[in-house]
Amino acid sequence: MADALPEIDRELSSVIARGAEKTFDNAERLYFEAELLAKVGATARALCLHQISLEECSKIESMGAWATALVSGADVDQKGVLNALRQHASKNRTNAYMMEGSQAEKDAKANGDWEAMHDEFKKFQKAFHEMSNDAKNASLYVDWVEGEFISPSERITQEMLGEIVTRNQMFLGIAQNGLKMLQRLDKSPADLQDLLVQFMDAAKQKRVEMPDDPVAAGSELVQAFLDAGLKRLREKRE
């Protein structure tokens, strides 16, 4: 006899979904307000708003993981999750997962050196946070740089703004997909609950079976889950 599926906290699941909706709306508003600032030549302030928008996008990714854990019955440190949602470093580290990794990380992956790949990614996360946070601070404050005071308008360039606009457009797309998933889970979590539980159990087993190739193991499981989930949702619509 199959084990009973865990009970779902529907109230908390809905709170998370509504929070994600508000977060995405705020991220979009920040993007459009940044574009307005850019049009009047406020390059530095525009970059600041784009960075805050990016940080809001990262929160949707974290909310998605929280909701998925609730539905699958996994233990959740709610205090820890909420604390991470407030920390700039945590939000930038989350966004680093969406970025193309460093060449050193790619080389380690190609060589099957998973420990080195993990180490290189951690270095990339740290560098990405420092770059993002430094640019945000530079967009707001006059600072002492190499023997003189430099204003935001002197430090933030059109090139820097162009790079973060492109990044924000990409991240808003990713966040929107994450929001749709959350809304689907909130609407009818039971539709996919058994698949999520199976996915979590299989992930634990794969880590044991394929310790030397976690990337391949993870990709295989994620694709299987997506295929099964899409098939079930199509069948329900028919």
Side-chain angles (χ1 to χ4, degrees), residues 2-3 23 33 38 58 64 100 105 107-109 113 124 143 151 156 164 186-187 191 213 220 223 234 237:
D3 294 335
T23 302
E33 288 164 12
S58 78
E100 183 177 354
E105 182 187 348
D107 291 342
K109 178 181 177 181
D113 189 342
F124 175 75
D143 203 358
S151 69
I156 305 302
I164 201 169
D186 179 48
K187 181 179 180 181
D191 286 351
D213 197 351
E220 178 184 323
Q223 191 58 54
R234 281 197 298 267
R237 287 198 295 267

Side-chain angles (χ1 to χ4, degrees), residues 8-28:
I8 301 171
D9 187 338
R10 291 301 306 275
E11 183 177 356
L12 180 54
S13 178
S14 292
V15 167
I16 296 171
R18 290 196 300 272
E21 290 167 358
K22 292 177 181 179
T23 302
F24 183 75
D25 177 67
N26 193 42
E28 278 197 314

Side-chain angles (χ1 to χ4, degrees), residues 124-148:
F124 175 75
Q125 275 187 311
K126 184 175 183 293
F128 180 72
H129 163 62
E130 290 175 350
M131 177 203 68
S132 301
N133 208 51
D134 287 349
K136 182 171 67 175
N137 288 334
S139 73
L140 292 172
Y141 306 110
V142 171
D143 203 358
W144 178 260
V145 180
E146 297 180 356
E148 62 179 313

Side-chain angles (χ1 to χ4, degrees), residues 158-212:
Q158 284 290 338
E159 182 180 4
M160 292 170 68
L161 179 60
E163 288 175 357
I164 201 169
V165 169
T166 300
R167 187 179 305 140
N168 201 8
Q169 290 170 346
M170 178 184 73
F171 278 48
L172 281 167
I174 294 171
Q176 187 172 42
N177 289 334
L179 174 60
K180 289 178 181 177
M181 183 276 288
L182 267 167
Q183 290 171 326
R184 178 64 195 176
L185 278 179
D186 179 48
K187 181 179 180 181
S188 186
D191 286 351
L192 298 174
Q193 187 183 24
D194 61 323
L195 294 179
L196 279 172
V197 171
Q198 292 170 22
F199 173 77
M200 299 291 279
D201 290 342
K204 294 177 184 176
Q205 184 62 32
K206 280 289 185 181
R207 283 196 291 269
V208 174
E209 295 174 354
M210 303 176 67
D212 296 328

Side-chain angles (χ1 to χ4, degrees), residues 63-77:
M63 290 177 187
W66 186 4
T68 299
L70 282 177
V71 173
S72 65
D75 293 331
V76 179
D77 177 6

